[in-house]
Amino acid sequence: MITKVYLVRHAEAAGNVAKTFQGHNDCEVTEKGHKQLACLAERFKDVHLDIIYSSPLLRTRQTAAAVNKYHGLDVHINQGLIEINGGDLEGMGWEDIPLKYPEQQEMWDNAPHEYWAPNGEKMSEVYERITSTVNHIVHENTGKTIAIVSHGCAIRNYLCYAHGWGIERLRDVMWEENTSVCCIEYHGADCTPVIVYQNDTTHLSPELCTLAHQSWWKTTITEETK
């Protein structure tokens, strides 16, 4: 029996454009983000879904609503799917962080597995939280097809786990585009994850992509070598 998960990153939100540490800030989807959502809804129109889960933040709930447009399912809000808590860095511009928090910036860029946010979360806590949450959802819905809507940092951590890597390999995982879709299948009684594809944006035209037109976020080994 195979359980399938579509792991979706939220649409472009205000912080993605303002280049701020969004974290738990409840930013709304932008005008461009709504165009991304229209495309995402069409992508999922003929995809069978049994159940949908979302982080509690507005940008993910808006994205989950688009995934659900043609399905009429209940969207289950799960706190464990929320983005990293940036603590004192919440809402701060990425250009200001290295000036005020150089240690955090150095870790974020070069050793993200060691990252910790003052008065926020450690990256290792995000890794454990998102892994536990998604795996619990999978075990509760064995044999079903599930859509899960979450955030860039949280998804990056889960993909690290799904690759079979410990958190020390986090820097090897590329960032996901807004509304990108990852497909993960789980086989056997232990529900071992197998990544079918990741960061798929075939539903978006080039001009509707967000990260493709920015370079400030490129801190992964994968993206540096492009």
Side-chain angles (χ1 to χ4, degrees), residues 56-191:
L57 297 180
L58 179 59
R59 56 191 183 272
T60 43
R61 288 188 283 111
Q62 289 176 309
T63 303
V67 172
N68 196 32
K69 180 176 179 180
Y70 296 106
H71 298 279
L73 300 169
D74 291 332
V75 175
H76 299 262
I77 303 301
N78 191 310
Q79 187 72 26
L81 300 172
I82 202 167
E83 184 57 296
I84 185 172
N85 182 346
D88 295 346
L89 278 65
E90 295 262 329
M92 186 175 294
W94 285 106
E95 61 183 15
D96 297 323
I97 292 174
L99 302 177
K100 298 181 179 180
Y101 295 94
E103 181 182 0
Q104 273 66 35
Q105 187 64 49
E106 173 66 20
M107 286 187 291
W108 185 269
D109 289 343
N110 299 308
H113 62 288
E114 298 178 352
Y115 179 84
W116 57 275
N119 296 308
E121 278 185 294
K122 295 179 180 178
M123 191 67 74
S124 58
E125 293 173 332
V126 179
Y127 183 91
E128 293 299 328
R129 168 171 59 78
I130 191 69
T131 296
S132 174
T133 299
V134 174
N135 287 349
H136 180 73
I137 289 171
V138 169
H139 282 280
E140 278 199 332
N141 295 280
T142 304
K144 294 182 180 179
T145 299
I146 311 159
I148 297 176
V149 185
S150 188
H151 304 263
C153 187
I155 291 174
R156 188 184 183 195
N157 274 270
Y158 190 77
L159 289 175
C160 187
Y161 162 81
H163 274 289
W165 302 336
I167 192 174
E168 68 278 359
R169 292 284 302 272
L170 184 61
R171 192 167 182 261
D172 292 337
V173 183
M174 67 188 300
W175 287 98
E176 300 290 303
E177 176 65 74
N178 291 107
T179 71
S180 67
V181 181
C182 304
C183 181
I184 306 171
E185 292 182 346
Y186 300 79
H187 302 257
D190 60 349
C191 292

Side-chain angles (χ1 to χ4, degrees), residues 18-32:
K19 302 176 185 177
T20 60
F21 196 124
Q22 289 192 107
H24 286 194
N25 282 344
D26 214 2
C27 301
E28 192 169 358
V29 167
T30 64
E31 181 180 351
K32 183 176 182 178

